């Protein structure tokens, strides 16, 4: 089984913490030649760049807010300037701010869709354009959410934004299958990430005990962790998953559909 990324030039959005950071480090451990790290915190970005360098890969940090209209071009231009090409892309960044049918605002809708769907779409566009111009195959993985199947009622806007990216994943995979550009997605279940800890403990006011309480209710006694998602992402990026494309994998502890009587 060939899991090597052997010199690949890779973009990972949202890679200063959580799932994105874990994906970037997993890529470096498995031979990626260069990794473009993105985020809003320059200090965390520098730390991840140093971690990647210690694993033997080149790395470069770009500070960018994915809600801005120029974000995709800023990231793609930086990758092409620093590394000369884009071999692989992981859209790992995402906002999980709450917004139900009755509480959501137009501002929340616009920001979540910009970060979770619009910028990933146009970053895919730039990556695919580079791959096609060089007549080289490539791989893209979009980190989605188990909420694309319907979503919790307080996550209506978030679920809609991830569902939009899920459809884009399958549509683009079909459009570029003969370019040998493989595009897959992961419907990530509930995971213990830095952003999720802040959301539940502070923003939603559940306090520090929320994680242990929720973990105890899960089949495996824990939530997903970033490294779980990173390993699956790496498989989908690597030659080991060829020729799979257009697939959305549910990475969750319970199958979607069945219910206890």
């Amino acid at each position: 089984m060939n899991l090597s990324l052997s010199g690949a030039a890779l973009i990972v959005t949202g890679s200063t913490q959580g799932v994105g950071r874990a994906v970037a480090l997993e890529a470096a451990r498995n031979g990626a030649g260069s990794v473009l790290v993105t985020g809003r915190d320059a200090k965390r970005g520098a730390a991840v760049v140093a971690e990647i360098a210690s694993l033997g890969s080149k790395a470069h940090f770009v500070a960018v807010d994915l809600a801005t209209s120029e974000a995709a071009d800023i990231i793609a231009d930086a990758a092409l300037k620093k590394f000369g090409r884009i071999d692989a892309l992981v859209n790992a960044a995402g906002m999980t701010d709450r917004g139900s049918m009755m509480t959501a605002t137009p501002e929340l809708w616009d920001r979540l869709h910009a970060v979770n769907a619009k910028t990933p779409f146009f970053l895919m566009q730039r990556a695919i354009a580079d791959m096609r111009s060089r007549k080289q195959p490539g791989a893209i993985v979009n980190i989605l959410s188990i909420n694309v199947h319907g979503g919790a009622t307080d996550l209506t806007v978030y679920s809609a934004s991830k569902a939009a990216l899920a459809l884009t994943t399958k549509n683009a995979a079909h459009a570029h299958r003969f370019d040998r550009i493989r595009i897959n997605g992961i419907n990530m279940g509930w995971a213990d990430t830095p952003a999720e800890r802040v959301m539940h403990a502070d923003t939603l006011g559940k306090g520090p005990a929320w994680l242990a309480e929720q973990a105890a209710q899960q089949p495996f006694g824990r939530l997903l962790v970033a490294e779980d998602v990173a390993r699956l992402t790496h498989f989908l990026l690597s030659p080991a998953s060829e020729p799979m494309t257009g697939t959305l994998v549910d990475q969750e502890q319970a199958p979607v559909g069945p219910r206890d009587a």
Side-chain angles (χ1 to χ4, degrees), residues 29-61:
R29 290 187 194 99
N30 286 277
S34 49
V35 183
L36 191 80
V37 175
T38 86
R40 290 178 291 176
D41 188 312
K43 185 176 180 180
R44 285 204 302 247
V48 175
V49 165
E51 287 182 282
I52 292 170
S54 73
L55 294 169
S57 298
K58 297 178 182 177
H60 179 68
F61 171 69

Side-chain angles (χ1 to χ4, degrees), residues 122-177:
F122 287 104
L123 195 47
M124 289 171 65
Q125 184 184 76
R126 288 293 306 272
I128 291 168
D130 177 67
M131 294 166 188
R132 293 184 71 195
S133 72
R134 295 182 292 110
K135 293 182 171 55
Q136 292 297 314
I140 296 173
V141 177
N142 292 322
I143 306 301
L144 307 168
S145 169
I146 203 70
N147 285 282
V148 303
H149 294 293
T153 56
D154 64 340
L155 288 169
T156 306
V157 179
Y158 168 77
S159 302
S161 68
K162 288 295 189 177
L165 186 57
L167 186 145
T168 299
T169 301
K170 294 184 79 70
N171 187 283
H174 177 77
H176 297 287
R177 65 198 190 280

